[in-house]
Structure formats: structure tokens, C-alpha cells
Amino acid sequence: MLLAEQALNGLQYGMMLFLMAAGLTLVFGVMGLINLAHGSLYMFGAFACAAVAAATGSFWLGLAASLVAAAAAGALVEMVVIRRLYARDHLDQVLATFALILVFSEGTRWLFGSFPLYLTLPPTLSGAVVLPGGLHYPLFRLVIIGFGAAVAVGLWWLITRTRLGIRIRAGEADREMIGALGVDIARLYTIVFALGAALAGFAGALVGSMQSVQVGMGEPVLILAFVVVVIGGIGSIKGALVGALLVGMTDTLGKALLPGLFARVLDTSSANTIGASLASMLIYILMAVVLILRPQGLFGARA
Amino acid sequence: MRQTLNRDTAINLIIFGLLVATAVGAQLMGDGFTVTLATKAAIFGLAGVGLNLALGYGGLISFGHAAFFGIGGYVTGIFASHASLGTPVTSLPFTVMGSNEMLGIWPMAMLAAGLAALVIGALSLRTSGVYFIMVTLAFAQMLYYFAISWPRYGGEDGLSFYVRNTFPGLNTFAPLQYFTICAALLAIALVFTAVVTQSRFGLTLQAARQNSQRTVAVGIRPYAIRLTAFVLSGMIVGLAGSLYADLNRFVSPSMLSWHMSGEIMVFVILGGVGRLCGPVAGAAIFILLEQVLGGISDYWQALLGLLLLAIVLFAPGGLIGIVTRRGRNA
């Protein structure tokens, strides 16, 4: 029973990581850009959701606002800053997007203060449901799993079935060629960046509703999303999904099970310590193993 | 060529001289706070010099050098706290006692950081480009979470050790004397970098950065060269971490955090990538900005961010780049 609950938690965590990693991997794959400020867009979405939900009293409007606001912020950032960085080396991209984090974080602190905000879920989304087998499980976590699955299907459809998807894939393959064929690359890049930003902002709003909305919330998630992208392979949406679920499951189950496993051979207090420290490193060990076996990631085409 | 070499040497000497003059001048005026700031600049400069070896000369964009900075710090803190308690650091496989002798702690800090760099580098160098950046970042973050969840040495709260470690013949508590130690190590690291980058090893490293395929074609495998550079770089940063721990008499997981990695990288880029004294200038300017902007606004990091953004977008060579370019045009 505990295992089933933790597996669902892992699935929910994985879906949330997927929302983050999908945007990152798209931006890497299509534009070859490393965007550290992706976590800031996540935070931006969460704050937009909290602010709009507080102003209008409607959680749903807040959720919609997180998508719109993060997409708008993403598009703006792309046009003002990111656009100048595509031709630069990764070092400049890292530094510039690191600078963007500072601006975003301090700007948000200035606007909203240092105290965390809390979102109240509407009654239709709060509470627990009883799953087959008698397990009581928070409804909202199931909703997140559902949203994640819907986004995964939607992205798959977008990329494989639509005109925009064809252009995105073409942009990944050869940016000069699609430019020569008359595709407005600048606009395509802005759209892809805004799409990634919207996903990040949406993830931020969902997680913010579960925990709290605060400055700096995006940074730990960003690093996990990096781990997901490294495991899955750059540019691969499928890789992002598989990697995210692997990381989510490994982290959740490791934290739930390792202390208990160690308690069988060690005394309780050192088992808890060793179990907890090892569990916190588990996903990075997973990443190291994947790198040793496949340096380009599970579904990556090139290293 | 010769003329620009001379100009570079002159700029290097001026940067280092300014740092020393600031500390000595502040001491003469009885301004202990500024001496400490200069010490901090020397230590951060040392960390930047370490990273520059991998990043500037080797082209290895490591976003995880806080790992080595933090390891150096933790080794120092752990040895010092055991020394004050009189307990051994470890008794397996043989007993290692704590120590409060800098001369004993530095090699330990560098060794530990070097070993970590060997493992992290060996794995990370299997990848390149964006992967390398993310993998080094992730490994550093792994150590960060390890430090947070390991309660023995303070966990999230960090580890204080109250007494600064000792150096024979000096009073390490006197601000100027501690500055002298840090500045001397910085000078040694600068000379070391200058010698290494001019050596056959250093030239191969730079060749591998400029054109990896051609290096392979003439029969050199870049992997071992890059790994060596990465380890040396990690050891220097580990030493800087040890000095930083002694400066504050405190270590905490924040020394391992990715903000620290970012800051060390900023020192290098602010000053000028692949320039000998670039990181020193970068670190000094960073600390100056921290003081000046911090006085203007509580939200000074946003101003710092905007400034960094402007430098990346409009002055890609860093600040020394601006100076030398003007010099060449004149």
C-alpha cells in the first residue's frame, strides 16, 4: 500500500519534471541554447498564478494566467536577450542566463517580498479520492499526473502532426536550410521559446499550488530538469518523458525505501542518516550510470 | 606579438599590485574591513585562476567548480573541528588525527578536491558541449545535497570552527598577515598557470580547445590532457575553498551550491577568459560591485545581473578585453 502511494507520488513528481524538461530540451534541440533562466520562468508562472488567483478568486484563471504570463515573459526575454545569444558559445549563454536569474529573482522579491505565498485549491480539486484497493490519495496529485500525460500527448501531436511541428523538427536538423526555404526563423524561435516557457510556468503554478510560491523555487527544479535532459538525451521529447519518470520514481522511492533497507543491517539512527544521504544522491548516481553506458543519453542522437 | 606580451605582463602586474596596495594601504589607515575584502578578493581570485585553467585554456565549461571549492572548505572545517575536539578524523584504514596546521590541511584539501575532480572529470569528459555543462552542474549539486543531508558535520546549518588554523611564524588572525598568505598562494598559482600554459602540456590543451579533431589527427588524445587540466583546476579551487573556510572560520553547504559555481565563473568571465590575471580582476570587481551596489539598493543582485548581461552582450572579451583592445587601437 505504501509502495503504491509512493509510486503514484513518483509518477506525479516525474510528470512535473517532464513539464520542465520538455521546454528545456526543445530549446536545446532547436536552438542549441542552454537556458539557466528556465527555472525563473517556472517561478514567474507560479507568481502569476498566485497573483491572479488572489485578485480574481478563481484558481482556474490563475492557472490560465500562469500559461499566458510565462509565455509572454518567455517571448519578451527571447526577443530582448536570448536572440543575441544563439550565435555565441555556450559560455556566454550560461553567463547571460545566469544574469537573467539574478534579475528575475530580485525583481520578484522586490514586487512580492520575501515571504512565500500560498494558493488555495478550489473544492473540486482538493481532498482525497479512494482508489481501487482502498488507497486514499490526494486528488490534486492525480490531476497533475493527468495534466502531464495530456501535455505529453499534446506535444507529441504538435511535433509529429502539425505544420509548426514540422518546422520545429526542420529547425533542429538544419537552421540555414529552413531559413532558405522561407520560414521566418526568428519567429519560429520565439514561438518555441514561448512554448517552453509556458510549460515551465504551468509546472510552477501546479507545484506552487501544492507547496508554496516563493523566490528561488525554480532553481532546484531546474537542476533536476537538467538531469532529466542529460538522461533522456538532448532534443528528445520522448527522452524527456522517460527520463523525467525515471528520475521522479528513483528519487521518491529511494527516499521512501532506502532508510528502511539500511535499517535491516544497521542500527536505526545511522541507517536513517546513510539512507537519507544516499537517497539524495541517487538520481545523480542514476545519471552517472546512464552517462557511462550512453554518453548521449537514452534517446539522444548526438553527444 | 612581443609587444602585446609585454602589455599583458604589465596589466597582470598592475592588477596584482593594485590588490596588494589596497590591502597594505587599508591596513595603514587602520581599515581592517577593507583588508578582509582584499583577502576575499585574493581567495576568489585564486578560485577563478583555478577555474580559468579548465575553462579559459581548456575550453571546459565547468558549472560545477563549487564542488571543489566546497570540498576544500569542508576538509579544512572537518580537520579543524576534530583538532579542537582531539578526536581522529577517521580511524579506518589507519588513524588520521585532526589538524589546525594550514601546511598540513592544504595538501589534504587539494588532494580531496583533486580526487573528486578526477572522478567527476572522468565521467563528465565523456560528454561535451551543453551536456558537459549540465553534468558538471549536476555532480556539484549532488555533493550539495549530500552535505545538507549529512548531519555529522552540521548538515544544512554548516560547521563552525571558531579558531583560524595556524601557519608557522605568522599570526593568521592579523588581517594583513592572513592576506599575505592568500596573496602569496595566489601569486604561486598565477606563476604556476603561466608556466603550465606555456608548457607542452598547456599548449596541447589549448590546441585541443581550438581544434579537437586536428589534435586527434596529429596523434594526441584530448581526453587525458583535459582530465589532467580538470584535476589541476579542481585542486587549485580546493585550495581556495580551504582559505575561504579559514577566512570565515565557517563552512556550509552554500560553498557547494550552484550559485557559487556561477560566481566563480563570473569572476573569470568578468575579467577576461583565458587571461592570466583576468579572474583576479574579475573577483576584485565583483567584490567592489557587491559593496557599491549593496549600498545603493537591497536588490543589488538585480543590478549586478543587468550589468553582467550588458558585459556579455556588448563586451564579450571581459573587462581586460576592453582595456587591451583600446590599447591596441591607440
Side-chain angles (χ1 to χ4, degrees):
Chain A
M1 190 58 68
L2 173 79
L3 198 66
E5 185 177 350
Q6 293 299 346
L8 277 175
N9 283 344
L11 187 63
Q12 175 263 311
Y13 192 30
M15 281 304 187
M16 195 276 296
L17 285 177
F18 168 67
L19 291 178
M20 283 294 280
L24 267 183
T25 212
L26 265 181
V27 170
F28 282 142
V30 178
M31 311 162 195
L33 179 102
I34 178 161
N35 177 24
L36 297 178
H38 200 64
S40 300
L41 295 163
Y42 170 89
M43 177 186 75
F44 194 80
F47 271 98
C49 177
V52 170
T56 62
S58 161
F59 176 76
W60 294 106
L61 276 179
L63 214 51
S66 75
L67 274 167
V68 175
L76 186 71
V77 165
E78 199 275 342
M79 287 190 278
V80 176
V81 178
I82 303 287
R83 182 166 288 186
R84 300 168 201 270
L85 297 169
Y86 296 132
R88 300 290 191 82
D89 62 8
H90 294 316
L91 191 58
D92 285 355
Q93 299 174 353
V94 165
L95 191 71
T97 50
F98 183 75
L100 278 177
I101 294 180
L102 296 179
V103 175
F104 261 104
S105 292
E106 292 295 292
T108 314
R109 204 193 303 281
W110 178 67
L111 274 174
F112 291 92
S114 302
F115 298 103
L117 305 178
Y118 294 92
L119 276 158
T120 22
L121 290 174
T124 45
L125 290 180
S126 52
V129 284
V130 183
L131 295 177
L135 173 69
H136 287 263
Y137 197 74
L139 174 64
F140 191 63
R141 285 178 181 262
L142 289 180
V143 170
I144 294 184
I145 295 174
F147 274 137
V151 168
V153 172
L155 272 180
W156 171 81
W157 176 80
L158 178 80
I159 301 231
T160 57
R161 293 285 185 272
T162 64
R163 193 166 198 83
L164 180 65
I166 294 171
R167 289 184 175 163
I168 289 175
R169 280 182 290 146
E172 232 167 307
D174 192 332
R175 72 173 95 174
E176 279 84 19
M177 187 52 95
I178 64 157
L181 291 174
V183 174
D184 184 350
I185 300 189
R187 211 183 59 179
L188 177 70
Y189 281 13
T190 311
I191 291 173
V192 173
F193 199 86
L195 177 66
L199 291 177
F202 188 57
L206 290 176
V207 173
S209 319
M210 217 164 39
Q211 296 160 357
S212 66
V213 177
Q214 56 186 324
V215 174
M217 65 187 283
E219 291 161 17
V221 187
L222 173 78
I223 290 169
L224 288 175
F226 277 161
V227 172
V228 166
V229 171
V230 168
I231 289 177
I234 288 178
S236 165
I237 296 285
K238 188 169 41 162
L241 182 61
V242 173
L245 294 179
L246 262 178
V247 168
M249 287 289 182
T250 309
D251 194 55
T252 311
L253 292 181
K255 280 182 178 142
L257 300 180
L258 272 186
L261 283 179
F262 277 104
R264 295 190 177 176
V265 282
L266 297 164
D267 61 289
T268 320
S269 72
S270 55
N272 277 335
T273 310
I274 296 179
S277 330
L278 199 64
S280 68
M281 294 168 62
L282 210 54
I283 54 166
Y284 302 100
I285 296 170
L286 173 74
M287 181 187 74
V289 171
V290 170
L291 279 178
I292 291 167
L293 300 175
R294 272 184 75 85
Q296 73 277 39
L298 294 176
F299 298 93
R302 57 215 142 109
Chain B
M1 184 71 197
R2 197 162 177 209
Q3 216 178 359
T4 56
L5 264 184
N6 285 340
R7 183 174 288 132
D8 280 1
T9 313
I11 289 175
N12 290 335
L13 286 174
I14 290 170
I15 290 170
F16 194 79
L18 274 178
L19 183 66
V20 173
T22 308
V24 174
Q27 175 78 16
L28 288 177
M29 290 192 285
D31 180 2
F33 180 66
T34 305
V35 180
T36 305
L37 284 185
T39 311
K40 207 172 154 188
I43 294 171
F44 280 164
L46 180 64
V49 168
L51 176 63
N52 201 19
L53 192 60
L55 190 151
Y57 298 102
L60 307 172
I61 308 176
S62 163
F63 206 151
H65 263 51
F68 314 125
F69 195 71
I71 286 174
Y74 267 96
V75 167
T76 307
I78 288 169
F79 270 85
S81 65
H82 278 288
S84 66
L85 292 170
T87 53
V89 175
T90 173
S91 43
L92 283 171
F94 43 83
T95 306
V96 177
M97 289 305 289
S99 168
N100 48 22
E101 283 284 344
M102 285 184 185
L103 286 177
I105 287 175
W106 292 342
M108 289 295 173
M110 291 174 76
L111 190 70
L115 280 176
L118 186 65
V119 175
I120 294 178
L123 284 167
S124 310
L125 283 167
R126 293 171 59 83
T127 67
S128 60
V130 181
Y131 275 94
F132 184 80
I133 301 173
M134 291 192 289
V135 171
T136 47
L137 174 62
F139 277 124
Q141 210 60 16
M142 169 171 107
L143 289 170
Y144 172 75
Y145 286 119
F146 180 76
I148 281 188
S149 57
W150 189 251
R152 184 155 177 216
Y153 293 113
E156 205 164 349
D157 299 328
L159 177 67
S160 294
F161 50 98
Y162 308 112
V163 182
R164 196 172 281 168
N165 294 307
T166 56
F167 188 90
L170 289 176
N171 171 16
T172 52
F173 264 105
L176 193 63
Q177 301 199 22
Y178 191 59
F179 171 82
T180 309
I181 294 175
C182 298
L185 288 176
L186 174 62
I188 293 171
L190 287 170
V191 172
F192 175 79
T193 306
V195 171
V196 161
T197 49
Q198 293 306 311
S199 72
R200 203 165 65 168
F201 162 75
L203 294 174
T204 320
L205 180 68
Q206 295 176 68
R209 180 193 76 219
Q210 282 158 11
N211 194 329
S212 189
Q213 283 172 336
R214 234 178 246 182
T215 320
V216 174
V218 295
I220 298 163
R221 284 181 55 227
Y223 183 84
I225 304 267
R226 285 183 177 146
L227 186 57
T228 312
F230 195 79
V231 171
L232 286 175
S233 161
M235 289 171 83
I236 298 174
V237 176
L239 179 63
S242 174
L243 294 174
Y244 191 63
D246 256 327
L247 178 71
N248 302 318
R249 286 159 281 148
F250 173 67
V251 290
S252 76
S254 71
M255 278 181 81
L256 292 156
S257 79
W258 74 301
H259 254 269
M260 194 69 233
S261 292
E263 276 181 21
I264 301 177
M265 205 181 240
V266 167
F267 306 149
V268 177
I269 302 171
L270 203 59
V273 177
R275 292 174 191 274
L276 191 60
C277 269
V280 184
I285 291 163
F286 185 87
I287 286 166
L288 198 68
L289 284 175
E290 196 176 18
Q291 294 302 316
V292 174
L293 296 179
I296 296 173
S297 158
D298 283 347
Y299 305 102
W300 65 275
Q301 291 213 348
L303 301 175
L304 179 72
L306 290 174
L307 199 70
L308 280 179
L309 212 52
I311 289 175
V312 181
L313 292 178
F314 305 114
L319 292 171
I320 297 192
I322 299 175
V323 175
T324 47
R325 224 175 308 155
R326 277 200 192 137
R328 265 169 211 160
N329 288 342

